[in-house]
Amino acid sequence: MNANRLSARLAALLVVGLMAGACENEEPFPSFDELDELKLLHSMPQRPPADPTNRFADNTQAAALGNRLFHDPKLSSCGTVSCKSCHDGDGRTVATALADGCNGNVTGRNPPTILNADYNRWFMSDGRADRLWNQAILPMTSPVEMDSNATIIRAQLNAEYHSSYAEVFTKTPDETGDDELLANVGKLMQAYERTVNRRRSPFDEDVKRFISVAEVSVVEATKDPAYLGLKTYFRKGQCIVCHKGVAMTDHLFHNIGVKDGSAGAEGQTAAVEAMLDWKFNAAGPFSDAPNGTDAQRLASVRATLVEKRAEMVGAYKTPTLRNIALTAPYMHTGEVATLADVVEFYDKGGDENGSFTGTRTETIKKLELEPAEKEALVKLLELMTGEP
Ligand code: HEC
Ligand code: HEC
């Protein structure tokens, strides 16, 4: 099998070599390594990875109750803002750069989508939540978002969800302490969000087809409609360095040089310690697996804090690219309007030095893409929209 693969490849290399002429030194796309990376890009598993820190994560009753709570503005102090206010429509976000919360306040950042959210390993663009259930506590209690607290939320649970809550948690809201109540509501939100996904996209079909053609012949692969887009994504664009795997993220944080003069411009560095010391984190008393692998994960982040500090300044989470055509505008600031603008952003090597905090990572530099390569990248991104 391997010998066959190799001899087919050698024959193809020879043909491409003979045809190549001008671009003589370029290895045909995809190389074996690139082929392996391509195989990791398609077909999301039908369930987000398990979350042992929330024992209700895949409980259907919890998801049904979470669904109702997600859409309920009475959980907010002003009575008008629900999770849905900022995570709505096909893209489960808003169409503006920032979003409106309680009392005329505006968010500091662009709301990301909640589609496929639990395929992420960190939450919020600066990673200040380590699990999807504790993430939900942040907007509920943020003065610029829902401006709420356990007293307001308990009253609403008692008024409208008393028996459903008691069925899931085997105690009433009044029998639940303040912090535990917030954590429990977060766990319901997560159970619901885990059911809100758009996974299968034309991109997956294209990648699968491209792989099967390329495994037989890299010459035939050059004629595939996905060829130029994928090649640019892997080679000149370097997108695959960070946007890899089925969720199209490395689950890491990078400073890519996005203009930001706001108070949050420090990115991960301003969030990481608060997250590590947070009573609601996955190693804390409200976690359903406080001594599991999550605790080790947090410990290893803590262990590398000093060494990694410089890289964390102005670094943001690599977001998924799935459903990206549904979630404009882009970046944590929402400053980039369209996908064509995103490609221009990368082509020029990010925003100007001095317009963002920290040091831009080395991968982000001028790309000098041809117009056809830019177009092919935008098309590739547009094909990442999944079925509801
Ligand atoms: C007023 C607008 C607003 C409301 C209300 C709101 N969010 Fe968000 N949401 C945001 C913004 C802005 C961010 C990004 C914040 C950041 O990155 O620092 C965000 C981030 C998220 C994320 C992180 C996704 C990721 O990939 O990291 C999830 C999940 C989420 N919100 C779910 C919820 C839930 C659940 C609720 C209700 C309890 C909620 N949101 C209420 C604006 C809002
Ligand atoms: C060094 C890692 C890295 C590389 C290389 C990279 N990205 Fe990104 N990408 C990121 C990070 C980090 C963000 C989030 C930045 C922010 O929010 O400020 C991002 C954001 C985006 C967004 C906006 C997502 C959203 O929801 O707002 C798109 C689209 C995108 N990248 C596409 C690409 C494409 C196309 C390429 C190749 C031309 C590429 N990226 C190369 C790390 C990278």
Side-chain angles (χ1 to χ4, degrees):
M1 162 82 200
N2 257 344
N4 274 341
R5 194 180 165 197
L6 198 61
S7 63
R9 175 61 60 124
L10 286 174
L13 273 173
L14 200 65
V15 178
V16 171
L18 292 171
M19 297 189 332
C23 45
E24 59 285 319
N25 287 328
E26 199 185 42
E27 186 186 358
F29 176 78
S31 68
F32 286 135
D33 285 350
E34 287 165 335
L35 203 50
D36 289 341
E37 289 257 37
L38 275 165
K39 288 178 184 169
L40 300 174
L41 270 182
H42 68 80
S43 308
M44 298 188 97
Q46 280 307 301
R47 259 171 197 279
D51 181 354
T53 71
N54 174 6
R55 64 200 153 105
F56 306 103
D58 295 303
N59 175 313
T60 48
Q61 238 179 330
L65 179 53
N67 185 350
R68 292 168 67 200
L69 294 171
F70 189 93
H71 295 87
D72 187 350
K74 290 198 191 134
L75 296 181
S76 68
S77 68
C78 53
T80 55
V81 177
S82 69
C83 309
K84 172 180 179 263
S85 307
C86 304
H87 299 283
D88 198 12
D90 286 347
R92 294 308 205 109
T93 173
V94 294
T96 46
L98 308 176
D100 299 325
C102 276
N103 313 318
N105 284 306
V106 174
T107 60
R109 292 187 182 141
N110 179 242
T113 186
I114 59 149
L115 293 167
N116 306 336
D118 223 0
Y119 289 84
N120 282 315
R121 291 304 287 114
W122 299 104
F123 302 91
M124 300 306 212
S125 53
D126 54 14
R128 66 189 184 281
D130 65 338
R131 279 295 184 182
L132 194 52
W133 59 269
N134 56 38
Q135 183 284 329
I137 298 170
L138 296 170
M140 288 193 285
T141 56
S142 160
V144 301
E145 297 186 8
M146 295 168 75
D147 188 35
S148 197
N149 57 46
T151 308
I152 295 169
I153 293 170
R154 184 180 291 109
Q156 179 59 1
L157 288 172
N158 277 328
E160 292 195 35
Y161 310 97
H162 192 270
S163 58
S164 321
Y165 179 97
E167 271 173 45
V168 174
F169 295 107
T170 59
K171 57 174 150 180
T172 67
D174 283 335
E175 289 162 354
T176 313
D178 284 1
D179 286 344
E180 190 187 350
L181 190 92
L182 293 174
N184 283 352
V185 171
K187 288 174 185 177
L188 299 170
M189 297 286 187
Q190 177 183 19
Y192 164 62
E193 290 173 292
R194 281 170 70 84
T195 68
V196 185
N197 302 293
R198 279 174 174 253
R199 283 173 286 232
R200 271 180 36 180
S201 71
F203 170 81
D204 295 284
E205 298 313 310
D206 277 6
V207 173
K208 276 190 266 180
R209 182 198 60 241
F210 183 77
I211 290 169
S212 62
V213 174
E215 280 190 319
V216 179
S217 157
V218 280
V219 178
E220 284 305 309
T222 62
K223 300 175 199 153
D224 190 279
Y227 174 76
L228 187 59
L230 287 172
K231 183 179 167 199
T232 311
Y233 191 90
F234 274 71
R235 298 243 170 121
K236 269 175 95 173
Q238 301 253 64
C239 317
I240 191 69
V241 172
C242 305
H243 298 283
K244 60 169 78 172
V246 280
M248 289 170 187
T249 165
D250 54 6
H251 304 292
L252 298 174
F253 299 79
H254 305 277
N255 185 334
I256 64 165
V258 173
K259 180 171 68 199
D260 187 350
S262 77
E266 290 279 321
Q268 192 191 13
T269 197
V272 64
E273 264 143 359
M275 183 273 293
L276 290 172
D277 296 335
W278 197 25
K279 64 184 166 189
F280 289 111
N281 75 25
F286 305 101
S287 167
D288 293 321
N291 303 313
T293 51
D294 283 63
Q296 292 161 24
R297 180 165 75 122
L298 293 178
S300 77
V301 171
R302 196 186 287 282
T304 57
L305 263 185
V306 175
E307 175 201 331
K308 294 270 174 73
R309 174 70 72 190
E311 282 171 43
M312 290 180 179
V313 180
Y316 293 87
K317 184 179 75 177
T318 308
T320 182
L321 297 183
R322 289 190 175 268
N323 305 302
I324 197 71
L326 303 177
T327 64
Y330 303 106
M331 306 304 178
H332 74 277
T333 54
E335 70 150 30
V336 182
T338 66
L339 290 174
D341 295 335
V342 169
V343 171
E344 291 300 334
F345 169 91
Y346 283 107
D347 190 50
K348 69 179 183 190
D351 287 329
E352 269 168 55
N353 281 329
S355 67
F356 57 91
T357 304
T359 311
R360 189 183 354 243
T361 185
E362 284 168 7
T363 327
I364 305 297
K365 50 184 182 224
K366 279 198 172 54
L367 301 175
E368 290 170 3
L369 299 174
E370 305 292 334
E373 292 169 328
K374 292 182 184 174
E375 225 172 276
L377 266 188
V378 171
K379 202 173 142 215
L380 191 80
L381 293 168
E382 284 170 352
L383 290 171
M384 293 175 184
T385 306
E387 293 165 16

